[in-house]
Amino acid sequence: MIKKEDLSEIGRFQKTHALRGELNAILDIDGAYVEDGNPLIVEMDGIPVPFYAESIRSKGVTSFLIKLKDVDNIDDASEMVNKEIYALKEELSDYIDENMMLQQDLIGYEVSDEKYGILGKLLHIEDSTQNELLVVGTESGEDLYIPLVDDFILGIDQENGIIHTSVPKDILELNQTKE
């Protein structure tokens, strides 16, 4: 039996693709993990269930089209939409560089901008939309949404738990509450 504590989140199924059960997935690890026949574990009715890929095609750096075995139509694939993908921690060691961090490892990191100073703490990464967003909790209790793009991320200080950013003023102003 698969135990939740033995799992690590490695991505999310975002939407269906075509009619034969293919799914668009965002993966935080190398697609070779899937190509090598390792299971993609999805929680179904509160139970971790392993699925195996029949095929995988890259759509970019982290985006993939995955066809799962026994998921053969759009209705079956629809049940996977917006579900997190997990892997057994013990199977990940060959696919993750020891210096590589998963997105979930960044939760709680302080977000500091080169011009505006400390923006807040990273609450989570919103990946249910087309563009991934850093959701930062500010000291005033508001959420700040920052697009997760290379141009805005200057670096990550793992030792001190800080994400260094350079966010344009316009992005920060979009987040301000109108009075």
Side-chain angles (χ1 to χ4, degrees):
M1 180 169 167
I2 300 171
K3 297 179 185 169
K4 188 97 169 159
E5 59 268 13
D6 295 335
L7 300 176
S8 185
E9 185 178 332
I10 60 167
R12 172 184 286 271
F13 287 118
Q14 291 201 296
K15 59 186 175 180
T16 60
H17 179 80
L19 301 174
R20 294 193 175 146
E22 246 183 341
L23 289 151
N24 186 358
I26 300 296
L27 296 178
D28 298 333
I29 62 169
D30 192 318
Y33 173 84
V34 180
E35 291 169 356
D36 289 347
N38 291 298
L40 299 173
I41 299 169
V42 178
E43 199 169 294
M44 305 294 284
D45 298 323
I47 300 168
V49 177
F51 290 88
Y52 294 88
E54 193 173 287
S55 67
I56 180 172
R57 296 184 290 154
S58 176
K59 278 186 56 182
V61 178
T62 61
S63 183
F64 297 88
L65 291 176
I66 300 175
K67 168 66 177 78
L68 298 174
K69 290 179 183 173
D70 300 322
V71 176
D72 297 321
N73 58 58
I74 195 165
D75 293 330
D76 292 343
S78 293
E79 292 181 30
M80 302 292 202
V81 172
N82 290 324
K83 293 215 181 238
E84 287 86 11
I85 303 168
Y86 298 93
L88 290 167
K89 290 177 184 176
E90 64 188 34
E91 293 177 349
L92 287 176
S93 60
D94 292 339
Y95 301 94
I96 297 178
D97 181 325
E98 64 186 43
N99 296 319
M100 182 179 163
M101 294 183 71
L102 297 174
Q103 288 183 359
Q104 67 198 30
D105 297 333
L106 300 174
I107 305 305
Y109 272 41
E110 193 168 68
V111 179
S112 177
D113 188 81
E114 68 178 351
K115 292 180 188 160
Y116 307 106
I118 303 299
L119 300 176
K121 291 208 180 277
L122 182 64
L123 300 175
H124 71 278
I125 296 174
E126 180 60 53
D127 60 2
S128 64
T129 61
Q130 185 73 17
N131 299 310
E132 291 181 299
L133 301 168
L134 297 175
V135 181
V136 179
T138 66
E139 232 177 68
S140 64
E142 294 185 30
D143 291 346
L144 182 64
Y145 296 89
I146 301 171
L148 181 55
V149 295
D150 290 341
D151 290 347
F152 297 169
I153 309 295
L154 298 177
I156 298 171
D157 179 351
Q158 292 179 2
E159 189 173 314
N160 296 307
I162 301 172
I163 301 170
H164 295 282
T165 66
S166 177
V167 181
K169 183 179 179 184
D170 294 345
I171 296 289
L172 296 176
E173 287 176 352
L174 280 173
N175 285 279
Q176 292 178 344
T177 306
K178 303 288 184 212
E179 309 244 347

